[in-house]
Amino acid sequence: MKRGKLSDSPSDTSRPPRTPKRTHECSECGKSFARRSLLLTHRKDHVGRGSSEGLEGEESFSGENAKDLRSPPTPKPYKCEECDLCFGQKSQLHTHHKIHTGEKPYQCLECGKFFRIKSTLRIHKRIHTGEKPYKCWECGKCFSQNAQLWSHGKTHAGIKSYKCFECGKGFTQSSGLRSHWKRHRGEKSKKCLKCGKCFSTKSILLRHQKLHTGEKPYECPECEKRFVDPSELQRHQKWHKDELPHRCGECGKSFLTPAHVQIHQRIHTGEKPYKCEECGKCFSQKQHLGRHQRLHTGEKPYKCEECGKCFVDNRGLRSHHKTHTGEKPHQCNDCGKFYSTSSALKSHVKIHTGEKNYKCFDCGRTFAHSSSLLSHSRIHTGEKPHKCSECDQCFSRKDSLVMHQRIHTGEKPYKCLECGKCFAHASTLRMHTRNHAGEQPYKCTEHEKTFHNKSKLENGSSHGLEGDKKSNLLTHQKIHTGEKPYQCLECGKFFHAKTTLRNHERIHTGKPYKCWECGKSLRSLSTLKTYKCEKCDLRFGRRSDLLTHQKIHTGKKPYQCLECGNFFREKGTLRDHERIHTGEKPYKCWECGKSFSQNSNLWVHKKIHVGIKSYKCFECGKCFTQSSSLRTHEKTHTGEKTEKCLECGKCFTLKSNLVRHQRLHTGERPYECPECEKRFVDSSELRRHQKRHKGEKPYQCGECGKSFISPGVLQIHQRIHTGEKPYKCGDCGKCFPEKQQLRSHQRLHTGEKPYRCGECGKYFRHKGNLWKHHKTHTGEKPHQCNECGKFYSTSSALKDHVKIHTGEKNYKCLDCGRTFAQSSHLRSHSRIHTGEKPHKCSECDKCFSRKDYLVVHQRIHTGEKPYKCLDCGKCFARPSTFHTHTQSHTREQPYKCAECEKPFHTKSKLKVHQKVHSRDKSLQL
């Protein structure tokens, strides 16, 4: 059994540890030691280090069974053939041979490092496990190696056998003396191959190299945080043990070491002893000065192994390294967003709190960050500190200077992935990519036809493609203004476009195109029909018409709608289809002002004003302007419902009604409002919605004066005043003012869930719930907060969020006066006062004030655990338990102490920690 090992101690822990006797006494000074080797080392202080004089003449020392300290020389019969070294045991020779062969058979399973000797591996493993089996009986301190315990024992014995001849300083170990000598000589023989920096010892070099590699081999067993150096780990572990013995006399704050207290006290004294020789700036810490000096030297010693980018300090490298790993350990408790650094999280939290501590004294505007205030203040001062070295132009912001310098350097860092073209500015690249994506964000104010670029609308000097874009918009706007600038000189007629004028002029000049078959002259080349289809012998006047026709035989549909994914054979058909999504209606009736998306629809509409109804029903004599309307009408007489929904079995008279109905199951909403981007199932719903933007509400309530879009909506509204609820539930007798509300209610009794998600097969009672659920698959979040830029899937969720910024709380509790932002929160709160618990468990009759509490409770009976950890597969019944568990994988510590800002995994650990501060405050009092 090895001495001092905790693992070898007897299992009976009630017996106190045995203190070793000090049986070996020094004859010179009378000091006693527990081991003979310690006495021998101590004797060197009397006779001089490295000398055997005085030991030879003294044959023994006082003590029990004391023997001669010197031993006869040990025979070494085993010789190494490589280097002639001799060894006393054969096993020692075998171990030595591995130096020459390079053999390292013992591997650490934690970090993969290899070792020659099994005992060295055992010692190394203690770095990972934190095991320290060797204990000092004087002070109770533990060590991972026996040699470290022996060295430590000398501190109690006062033995410093190794003395520096330069300054007289003593050391307990020879390695400590050798390292100290290098300070006098200024020797720095260990050089870093990455940055060229030199160091006096190999251990300091190894620690420095870990900054380049990012290696952190020492892990905390409590929170799994990793460290570069074991001393950092030891300091960190004291935080878990709450060991902060050194306190500041000014503010009472506690620290791990006296050095930390000394640095902290400079905050109170204002002392800054470290001065930069270049600019005269002073710093409170030497580390801060070193980092500052790199700004003058341009040194960037910390290099990223992934991309080769260099940084001034290791903090910058660590932050950058997370861009490659994707690590974002810091989570916002309000919105759940993750950040790579704690400082980024603190900046983000200010969005939720609305904190803006930095105020401009000139205009009173407040800012969340000091850097934002600094940039803003330059507007008032006119300061432009960033100067271009080429042309001496000055800028208030550094990023503006960087963009300007690309004019001189010709640098174009923004590359289009589609065509490879490069650009100097990110905004120019964005405008260019719209050509590939077909995006046209700039709209005509009349009917909102879109164009690629805003600058092409404003810049009158556009040329080439840009000029064409501008002319397209101008030509389009002439439809609305009625402008016809191109006049025929023969008859005086005016036209919108120049090409239309050229085609018209051929009426006066004759027919320039002649058919070679029959000699007939034609006004238009397309009338000749010289292009023949080889499949069906049809002829076409233009080659483009022939190519479009051939797509019928090949089945080719090259034009795709970016909104809904439908394909079309012709570009014109695609344009007509896109007007469904954009709501554009360029064809206007001059009789009544009504607009249409297609020219054919306008022609049909004109028959209403003329009174033409060519199609008559033989059953009832009713007439219609279109044959399709007559066919639809005839089905009302026959009762025919041929269109059946495969999802729910419901039948419909028209296919259009079936298509509309199927959108309730799929959640599809193809009609988008161009004003607010809200989507609708039916075009009629879109038209009613657009009237709200235009302010068209012609139907007014006589009671309260409120206006509505249609008489049906007004009729429903008036039931609020009359209290009329004509729709009654046959099961429970509850009444409703709208038929739709009754249908939704009846599904609670029948259990019917007609709305099915096409992605995952989940069913819903209401189509509104299906639409919300559908956005979880698409990730669609069209509603953006103007304050913080956060996106939401529904407008109601956005309205609730906006109240965080405005602080609006319109719902007040009459019992205690507390206010709430939402009525549902007030209802839940009011049950605290009334004691109402309407939600009852059917299994055990336990009651709850909220439905979500009941749902969580019922999982005790059902055993359901819907929340599954993706890392380890463990399941949980509550989301809060699941969230706490996931923090063990992500190492997230969202709960922070308000006193010392120390983070914790759980709220319970934070409460235990806070007792330390409350105990300290009570002691101060």
Side-chain angles (χ1 to χ4, degrees):
M1 184 175 70
K2 291 185 179 180
R3 296 184 70 181
K5 270 199 175 185
L6 294 174
S7 56
D8 295 336
S9 61
S11 59
D12 184 11
T13 56
S14 61
R15 188 172 61 188
R18 181 178 61 86
T19 305
K21 295 180 180 178
R22 300 188 178 187
T23 56
H24 304 279
E25 186 177 344
C26 175
S27 59
E28 293 285 336
C29 60
K31 201 169 186 178
S32 299
F33 298 92
R35 297 181 181 88
R36 186 177 61 181
S37 57
L38 290 174
L39 173 61
L40 181 60
T41 304
H42 169 73
R43 284 284 299 157
K44 292 178 183 178
D45 290 344
H46 299 298
V47 299
R49 178 178 163 271
S51 173
S52 60
E53 186 184 350
L55 294 176
E56 294 176 359
E58 190 166 322
E59 302 203 354
S60 66
F61 295 92
S62 58
E64 296 177 8
N65 303 322
K67 295 180 181 179
D68 187 5
L69 291 175
R70 292 178 298 147
S71 308
T74 307
K76 295 182 179 180
Y78 301 100
K79 186 177 181 180
C80 175
E81 295 178 356
E82 296 284 338
C83 61
D84 295 334
L85 276 175
C86 296
F87 300 90
Q89 296 178 12
K90 194 174 183 180
S91 61
Q92 293 175 344
L93 176 62
H94 284 318
T95 303
H96 170 76
H97 270 312
K98 292 172 184 175
I99 296 171
H100 300 297
T101 61
E103 183 186 358
K104 292 183 179 182
Y106 303 103
Q107 186 183 9
C108 174
L109 298 177
E110 290 287 332
C111 61
K113 204 170 181 181
F114 289 89
F115 300 90
R116 293 190 187 94
I117 311 171
K118 196 172 184 178
S119 60
T120 313
L121 173 61
R122 274 200 305 272
I123 293 167
H124 168 77
K125 281 180 177 177
R126 290 170 188 157
I127 295 171
H128 303 297
T129 61
E131 183 188 0
K132 294 181 179 181
Y134 301 101
K135 186 175 181 181
C136 174
W137 300 109
E138 294 283 340
C139 61
K141 198 172 182 181
C142 297
F143 299 90
S144 59
Q145 298 181 43
N146 196 14
Q148 293 172 349
L149 176 61
W150 277 98
S151 298
H152 171 75
K154 292 178 181 179
T155 59
H156 296 299
I159 299 171
K160 292 187 178 179
S161 312
Y162 304 97
K163 188 175 182 181
C164 175
F165 294 107
E166 294 283 340
C167 61
K169 196 174 182 179
F171 297 90
T172 55
Q173 298 181 32
S174 59
S175 59
L177 176 61
R178 284 196 297 272
S179 298
H180 173 75
W181 275 342
K182 290 177 181 177
R183 291 189 179 181
H184 295 297
R185 296 198 296 264
E187 181 184 349
K188 291 185 179 181
S189 56
K190 308 297 178 183
K191 186 177 181 180
C192 175
L193 299 176
K194 291 280 182 183
C195 60
K197 202 170 182 180
C198 296
F199 302 91
S200 57
T201 61
K202 190 176 182 180
S203 59
I204 301 174
L205 172 62
L206 291 173
R207 189 187 187 286
H208 167 79
Q209 285 174 333
K210 288 170 186 174
L211 300 176
H212 296 300
T213 61
E215 183 187 358
K216 293 183 177 182
Y218 303 98
E219 184 178 297
C220 174
E222 293 282 334
C223 61
E224 298 181 1
K225 194 173 182 181
R226 304 188 74 89
F227 298 91
V228 173
D229 195 70
S231 60
E232 289 182 357
L233 173 61
Q234 286 162 6
R235 285 196 298 270
H236 169 77
Q237 285 175 326
K238 289 179 181 179
W239 285 102
H240 293 298
K241 298 174 184 177
D242 289 333
E243 293 179 13
L244 299 171
H246 307 282
R247 179 176 287 187
C248 173
E250 293 285 335
C251 60
K253 199 172 181 181
S254 299
F255 297 89
L256 291 173
T257 63
H260 287 157
V261 179
Q262 186 180 359
I263 292 169
H264 166 76
Q265 284 173 337
R266 290 173 186 157
I267 297 170
H268 303 297
T269 61
E271 183 187 1
K272 293 182 178 181
Y274 304 100
K275 187 177 180 180
C276 174
E277 295 178 356
E278 294 284 337
C279 61
K281 198 173 182 180
C282 297
F283 299 89
S284 58
Q285 296 184 43
K286 192 175 183 181
Q287 180 185 0
H288 295 170
L289 173 61
R291 190 161 56 235
H292 167 78
Q293 286 174 330
R294 290 175 191 145
L295 298 175
H296 299 297
T297 60
E299 182 189 1
K300 293 183 178 181
Y302 302 99
K303 186 178 180 181
C304 175
E305 295 292 329
E306 295 284 336
C307 61
K309 196 172 181 181
C310 296
F311 298 88
V312 174
D313 54 11
N314 58 351
R315 287 186 305 175
L317 174 61
R318 283 199 297 270
S319 299
H320 168 78
H321 189 64
K322 289 173 184 176
T323 61
H324 298 297
T325 61
E327 182 187 358
K328 292 183 177 181
H330 307 282
Q331 187 182 12
C332 175
N333 294 328
D334 287 299
C335 62
K337 201 172 180 182
F338 288 88
Y339 293 89
S340 55
T341 61
S342 58
S343 58
L345 175 61
K346 286 175 185 174
S347 299
H348 167 77
V349 166
K350 291 178 181 178
I351 296 171
H352 299 295
T353 60
E355 181 185 354
K356 292 183 178 181
N357 298 330
Y358 303 98
K359 186 176 181 180
C360 176
F361 293 107
D362 290 297
C363 62
R365 193 175 171 186
T366 54
F367 300 88
H369 310 292
S370 57
S371 56
S372 303
L373 174 60
L374 184 64
S375 298
H376 167 78
S377 63
R378 290 171 183 159
I379 297 170
H380 301 295
T381 60
E383 183 186 1
K384 294 182 177 180
H386 305 285
K387 187 177 181 180
C388 175
S389 57
E390 295 287 334
C391 62
D392 295 336
Q393 193 172 343
C394 297
F395 301 88
S396 60
R397 291 172 54 176
K398 192 176 181 180
D399 56 342
S400 303
L401 172 62
V402 170
M403 291 175 67
H404 167 78
Q405 286 174 330
R406 289 172 188 155
I407 298 170
H408 304 296
T409 60
E411 184 188 1
K412 294 182 178 182
Y414 303 101
K415 187 176 181 180
C416 176
L417 299 176
E418 294 285 336
C419 62
K421 197 172 181 181
C422 295
F423 301 90
H425 306 294
S427 58
T428 315
L429 174 62
R430 278 197 301 273
M431 288 188 287
H432 169 78
T433 51
R434 288 170 188 155
N435 295 328
H436 298 298
E439 185 185 353
Q440 295 179 326
Y442 301 99
K443 298 177 182 179
C444 170
T445 55
E446 292 289 333
H447 280 296
E448 298 179 0
K449 189 171 182 179
T450 54
F451 295 87
H452 285 272
N453 203 325
K454 191 176 181 182
S455 62
K456 292 170 187 175
L457 310 183
E458 295 171 349
N459 187 3
S461 61
S462 301
H463 299 287
L465 181 64
E466 296 190 358
D468 292 340
K469 298 291 182 194
K470 184 186 174 189
S471 62
N472 288 342
L473 175 66
L474 293 175
T475 302
H476 169 77
Q477 287 174 333
K478 289 167 190 172
I479 297 171
H480 307 298
T481 60
E483 183 186 358
K484 294 180 179 180
Y486 302 101
Q487 186 182 11
C488 175
L489 299 176
E490 291 289 333
C491 62
K493 199 172 181 179
F494 289 89
F495 299 90
H496 291 293
K498 199 171 184 177
T499 53
T500 314
L501 172 63
R502 279 200 298 267
N503 290 330
H504 166 77
E505 284 173 341
R506 288 172 188 156
I507 298 171
H508 304 295
T509 58
K511 301 177 179 179
Y513 303 104
K514 188 176 182 179
C515 175
W516 299 107
E517 295 284 336
C518 62
K520 192 175 179 180
S521 296
L522 302 167
R523 188 176 297 115
S524 173
L525 182 64
S526 61
T527 318
L528 284 173
K529 296 189 177 180
T530 54
Y531 300 98
K532 184 180 178 182
C533 175
E534 295 177 356
K535 295 279 183 182
C536 59
D537 295 332
L538 276 175
R539 287 181 172 271
F540 299 91
R542 291 178 293 189
R543 188 170 181 267
S544 59
D545 294 338
L546 173 62
L547 293 174
T548 301
H549 166 78
Q550 286 174 335
K551 290 169 186 174
I552 297 171
H553 301 297
T554 60
K556 189 179 179 183
K557 292 182 178 182
Y559 302 101
Q560 185 183 11
C561 175
L562 298 175
E563 290 289 331
C564 61
N566 279 337
F567 288 89
F568 301 90
R569 291 190 187 96
E570 300 178 47
K571 198 171 184 179
T573 312
L574 173 61
R575 276 199 301 270
D576 291 341
H577 167 79
E578 283 175 339
R579 289 171 186 154
I580 296 171
H581 303 297
T582 61
E584 182 191 358
K585 294 178 180 180
Y587 303 101
K588 187 176 181 180
C589 174
W590 299 109
E591 294 284 339
C592 62
K594 197 172 182 181
S595 299
F596 299 89
S597 58
Q598 296 182 38
N599 197 15
S600 58
N601 293 343
L602 175 60
W603 280 104
V604 172
H605 169 75
K606 282 181 178 179
K607 291 180 182 179
I608 297 170
H609 297 297
V610 180
I612 301 173
K613 291 186 177 181
S614 311
Y615 306 97
K616 187 176 181 179
C617 174
F618 293 105
E619 292 284 337
C620 61
K622 196 173 182 179
C623 296
F624 299 90
T625 54
Q626 294 176 271
S627 59
S628 59
S629 302
L630 174 62
R631 286 195 299 271
T632 302
H633 168 76
E634 284 172 343
K635 289 179 181 179
T636 59
H637 296 297
T638 59
E640 182 185 357
K641 291 185 178 181
T642 56
E643 309 296 338
K644 187 177 180 179
C645 176
L646 298 176
E647 292 287 337
C648 61
K650 200 171 182 180
C651 296
F652 299 90
T653 307
L654 301 174
K655 190 175 181 179
S656 59
N657 292 344
L658 172 63
V659 170
R660 188 188 187 284
H661 167 78
Q662 285 173 333
R663 288 172 186 156
L664 301 177
H665 297 300
T666 60
E668 183 189 1
R669 290 178 159 194
Y671 301 98
E672 183 179 334
C673 174
E675 292 284 336
C676 61
E677 298 181 0
K678 193 174 182 180
R679 304 185 75 88
F680 299 90
V681 173
D682 194 67
S683 58
S684 59
E685 289 182 358
L686 173 61
R687 283 195 295 271
R688 283 197 299 271
H689 169 78
Q690 285 176 325
K691 288 179 181 178
R692 293 184 179 180
H693 293 300
K694 296 175 183 177
E696 294 179 16
K697 294 182 179 180
Y699 304 98
Q700 191 173 16
C701 174
E703 293 286 334
C704 61
K706 197 172 182 182
S707 299
F708 297 91
I709 294 168
S710 65
V713 180
L714 173 61
Q715 186 182 1
I716 293 168
H717 165 77
Q718 285 172 336
R719 289 171 187 159
I720 297 171
H721 302 297
T722 61
E724 182 188 2
K725 293 183 179 180
Y727 303 101
K728 186 177 181 180
C729 175
D731 289 297
C732 63
K734 196 173 183 180
C735 297
F736 300 90
E738 296 182 51
K739 192 175 183 179
Q740 183 184 357
Q741 292 175 356
L742 173 61
R743 280 200 300 267
S744 298
H745 167 77
Q746 284 173 332
R747 289 173 191 147
L748 297 174
H749 300 297
T750 61
E752 183 190 2
K753 293 183 178 181
Y755 303 104
R756 182 175 179 267
C757 176
E759 295 285 334
C760 61
K762 197 172 182 181
Y763 288 88
F764 298 89
R765 286 193 186 92
H766 310 290
K767 61 181 177 181
N769 294 342
L770 173 61
W771 291 332
K772 288 178 185 177
H773 168 78
H774 189 65
K775 289 174 182 176
T776 62
H777 297 299
T778 61
E780 182 187 358
K781 291 184 178 181
H783 306 282
Q784 186 181 11
C785 175
N786 294 328
E787 292 288 332
C788 61
K790 197 174 179 184
F791 287 88
Y792 292 88
S793 55
T794 62
S795 59
S796 59
L798 174 61
K799 286 175 185 174
D800 292 340
H801 167 78
V802 167
K803 290 177 181 177
I804 297 170
H805 300 297
T806 60
E808 181 186 352
K809 292 182 179 181
N810 298 330
Y811 303 97
K812 186 176 182 180
C813 176
L814 299 176
D815 291 297
C816 63
R818 191 175 173 186
T819 55
F820 299 90
Q822 298 175 37
S823 59
S824 58
H825 294 171
L826 175 60
R827 280 197 301 273
S828 298
H829 168 79
S830 62
R831 288 170 185 158
I832 298 170
H833 301 295
T834 61
E836 182 188 1
K837 293 183 178 181
H839 305 285
K840 188 177 181 180
C841 175
S842 57
E843 295 286 335
C844 62
D845 294 337
K846 195 172 182 180
C847 296
F848 300 88
S849 60
R850 288 171 56 174
K851 190 177 180 180
D852 55 339
Y853 292 164
L854 173 61
V855 171
V856 172
H857 166 78
Q858 284 173 332
R859 289 172 188 154
I860 298 170
H861 303 297
T862 61
E864 183 189 2
K865 293 183 177 182
Y867 302 100
K868 186 176 181 180
C869 178
L870 299 176
D871 288 298
C872 62
K874 198 172 181 181
C875 296
F876 301 89
R878 298 169 183 266
S880 58
T881 316
F882 169 64
H883 183 63
T884 303
H885 168 77
T886 53
Q887 289 169 1
S888 63
H889 296 299
T890 61
R891 302 175 187 175
E892 184 188 354
Q893 294 177 313
Y895 300 99
K896 190 175 281 188
C897 176
E899 295 285 334
C900 61
E901 296 188 354
K902 187 178 179 182
F904 295 90
H905 285 292
T906 61
K907 201 170 184 178
S908 58
K909 287 187 178 180
L910 173 61
K911 287 179 180 177
V912 172
H913 166 77
Q914 284 173 334
K915 291 176 182 178
V916 176
H917 296 299
S918 60
R919 186 173 63 248
D920 291 344
K921 287 178 181 178
S922 62
L923 290 172
Q924 288 176 3
L925 292 171

